[in-house]
Amino acid sequence: MQRIINDPDNVVDDAVRGYLRASPTLYAATDHPRVLKYAGEPRNKVGVVTGGGSGHEPAFLGYVGEGLCDAVAIGEIFSSPTADAFFQAFDAANQGRGVACLYGNYAGDNMNVKLARKMAELEDIEVQTVVARDDVASAPADQRDKRRGVAGEIMMWKIGGAAAARGDNLNEVIRLAQKAVDACSSIGAGLSSCTIPANGKPNFSIEPGKMELGIGHHGEPGIEITDLPSARKMAATLCKPVLEDRPFKRGDEVAVLVSGLGATPVMELNLLYAEIADILDEAGIKVHRTYIGNYFTSLEMMGATLTLMQLDDELKTLLDAPARSLALSQ
Amino acid sequence: MHYLDASKGDEILQDLVAIIMENRTYLSEVDGAIGDGDHGINMAKGFRQCGEAIDGQSLSLAKGLGKLASVLMGSIGGSMGPLYGSLFLGMATTVKDKEIVDPQTFGDMLAGGLASLQDISDAQVGDKCLLDTLVPAVEAYQAALVDGADFAGALERMRQSAEQGKESTRDLVSKIGRSARLGERSRGHLDAGAVSCCLLLTQLADSTEARLQPRAA
């Protein structure tokens, strides 16, 4: 394991210290060491909170900022933040108009958010939640509630964050974040394993020359292991299940997010995108906006995820709204 | 009839801390087969912090269990933080204000912990999780009392059922948590939560039994 660390057990806390020191205009510390809040002035709006395990950087803390999230709960590597951290994040984000907690569908997150909501109730902080379920590989379309949240979560933060920033009330922010999630379909392809620092060895293995389609953000096994294809074939392999997940039709407009899993060069992500764009052209689908880069990673896993969000005018307006954060500025 | 002096909480809690610390690597290896491989690391981190927090203190069983619950819920997160946190909090609440723990109270403590855990999780026996150890162990303890077993006898039945429950997870297909994504590939491996739960219940039984005192009828 070739890593820049002090103590493998303190990787997360040491990293948080770095983010705070590097970006003081974005991040402010709170009373909780695993909770950061946006350093900008509160604006009497609905608070937007997210949270999740570390190891997915720039998710989750990279999406704290203007037009995005107001506070983030930070967990151990690949492990949910505590209930206390979620609660402190609610408290930090609350500006008197309630809090929208937008997170992914993982057992630990579900339980800790549930406990944190009980704590918030005692403090009269109104919290509503939306759970991202965009990973088409994790369950069939008729069992959407079982699906994991992956990179589609970013679209949920963007849409929900923009709605909150323009002054929408809590019910409206929740409705729009839910609409964003419902419009997203994602799939990932892994080309190598990742290593949790405290474990010191790879979590699993993908043989050289192989690709695992449908792999999860923690290395959850995918739906198929194939020979590593050309970028052109890989694009087709990724597009097929995503396009089939919902009734896309000619003339539809989409946002495309191609995220690296941590170790794939951005050059290759763009190379892959060119092939994806060709496929969307052929299907008559118009790309309204594109995001390419390391948006939601899995430590140093090689590979990429593809997310398509089907757009309408309401979503387009919010997607195009300005945002400023470490991971997403437009 | 035998009973446990509830003022010995710190000793029992330190035994629980020790058993998890000793099995740090083993628990991560079990978890590595169908999970992230960090179960031992996270459990050891939480239990070590609890051990440090209660070091040198004399605590009642309720206070000791309560401290463990708050450390697990407040600092380890993941799934195990809320699950074990709720379990130990429920146990602590049940024995609050008790100066002695008799066999019936011990059974109530187990049941209170289980009910508290089930309040935050919809998991069921058969899902391949810690409930596969916990539920039969609690039921076996209580059934033993109904059958007329003494404290030590009921603890022994609890240990046996915890062990059987843990082993039962080997043949199960996971229905909950991250390993549920594995489907059939989860079969053939023990569930890490069921293993840690078995270690904890077995140690709790051992530590309780070692401190049982006779009481004049």
Side-chain angles (χ1 to χ4, degrees), chain A residues 9 76 78 80 112 146 199 221, chain B residues 37 41 45 78 178 181-182:
Chain A
D9 282 339
E76 211 27 77
F78 290 179
S80 170
N112 284 300
K146 288 189 180 163
N199 285 353
Chain B
I41 292 159
K45 204 169 176 176
R178 202 165 288 164
R181 321 285 190 189
L182 286 161

Side-chain angles (χ1 to χ4, degrees), chain A residues 73-90:
Chain A
I74 300 161
E76 211 27 77
I77 293 187
F78 290 179
S79 188
S80 170
T82 63
D84 192 38
F86 272 113
F87 166 69
Q88 298 290 344
F90 298 161

